[in-house]
Amino acid sequence: MHIGVLGTGTVGRTLAQALVDRGHEVRMGARVAGNEKAVEWAGAGGPLASEGSFADAAAFAELVINATAGAASLEALEMAGAEQLAGKVLIDVANPLDMSKGMPPTLTVCNDDSLGESIQRAFADVRVVKTLNTVTASVMVAPQLVPGQHTIFVCGDDDVAKATARRLLEEFGWPSEAILDLGDITAARGVEMYLALWLRLWGATGSGVLNIGVRTPES
Ligand SMILES: NC(=O)c1ccc[n+]([C@@H]2O[C@H](COP(=O)([O-])OP(=O)(O)OC[C@H]3O[C@@H](n4cnc5c(N)ncnc54)[C@H](OP(=O)(O)O)[C@@H]3O)[C@@H](O)[C@H]2O)c1
């Protein structure tokens, strides 16, 4: 697939490389083409890797990944351009963290709304799937780093888009039974607000390479 990864941070570079390693053509996007981190990644990433602006990456892509700072994601997606994103699956891995008052961060949107929903509202014909935001970058693409059975959540309004996201998760090594569909995009509230707990789990265990597993008597 042609995949546009919006974001040059740890998550963008980790996902972009994992996708290239699995044979996808990836264009990494930044506010401006020629971003230092994106150029470095594309230079080392091989023939399937390229870089450009958010708009370049979105135009190139069949599927887009939002790996931008959550507080700025709407701005970044505006720069990508509604016409470039229209009709496409957008995998949103961002968390709307507000670091302006230091640690721990708060959320710029929560309770009865979420970043995932805000994106879906602002770009009504984009097929938004929220996933992977509940694990650190290395675990996103290598779930086996966390031993045992553990869970990755997906949510979104479009079932076909969620099936596409599920296939990518499986390419990253998430077993089918680890992928838990929480329903429509309003479930993004829960997985984004989980960040408050994730940060405390990180502090309590001393490791960001962690995840939770959901169990029922049937599972
Ligand atoms: N770090 C993790 O392990 C982890 C795990 C789960 C979820 N997440 C979420 O994944 C996302 C990416 O995280 P990250 O740590 O890789 O990177 P990040 O530092 O949170 O975000 C970097 C990206 O955001 C863009 N950006 C920043 N301010 C912007 C603005 N005002 N307007 C437009 N774009 C702006 C940057 O653009 P330029 O490239 O132009 O500088 C860059 O591409 C975040 O939402 C984070 O909460 C992170």
Side-chain angles (χ1 to χ4, degrees):
M1 247 195 297
H2 280 199
I3 299 181
V5 174
L6 310 183
T8 59
T10 306
V11 175
R13 285 178 282 131
T14 301
L15 289 173
Q17 192 57 46
L19 291 163
V20 160
D21 291 346
R22 285 156 183 79
H24 298 287
E25 271 190 67
V26 178
R27 184 159 299 166
M28 179 178 287
R31 279 171 279 193
V32 288
N35 172 287
E36 196 182 330
K37 287 185 202 163
V39 167
E40 189 186 334
W41 172 77
L48 299 178
S50 62
E51 63 81 30
S53 65
F54 288 139
D56 295 332
F60 165 86
E62 297 158 67
L63 177 146
V64 179
I65 298 180
N66 175 37
T68 60
S73 287
L74 285 171
E75 212 178 315
L77 291 166
E78 283 298 339
M79 294 172 82
E83 63 288 354
Q84 258 90 250
L85 296 170
K88 295 179 181 172
V89 176
L90 176 83
I91 297 184
D92 174 32
V93 307
N95 284 307
L97 301 180
D98 178 359
M99 305 283 196
S100 63
K101 297 178 197 73
M103 287 292 278
T106 55
L107 298 174
T108 59
V109 56
C110 63
N111 290 335
D112 56 358
D113 200 2
S114 62
L115 177 61
E117 289 164 89
S118 306
I119 293 172
Q120 186 63 83
R121 270 199 309 278
F123 300 90
D125 51 6
V126 173
R127 301 149 75 204
V128 180
V129 181
K130 186 102 203 176
T131 190
L132 289 175
N133 68 305
T134 54
V135 291
T136 199
S138 58
V139 176
M140 292 180 185
V141 299
Q144 72 279 6
L145 290 174
V146 177
Q149 294 178 21
H150 51 99
T151 304
I152 197 74
F153 305 106
V154 295
C155 67
D157 294 343
D158 185 312
D159 286 338
V160 177
K162 283 195 282 194
T164 302
R166 179 180 277 272
R167 281 196 295 280
L168 275 188
L169 292 174
E170 289 175 354
E171 285 187 38
F172 290 152
W174 290 93
S176 171
E177 63 276 13
I179 304 169
L180 186 55
D181 184 346
L182 297 175
D184 66 35
I185 193 65
T186 62
R189 299 171 193 181
V191 291
E192 291 174 13
M193 289 193 283
Y194 165 74
L195 257 289
L197 175 58
W198 187 90
L199 288 164
R200 297 307 290 236
L201 292 172
W202 178 29
T205 62
S207 173
V209 181
L210 67 91
N211 197 14
I212 57 169
V214 176
R215 296 280 173 278
T216 68
E218 287 75 39
S219 63

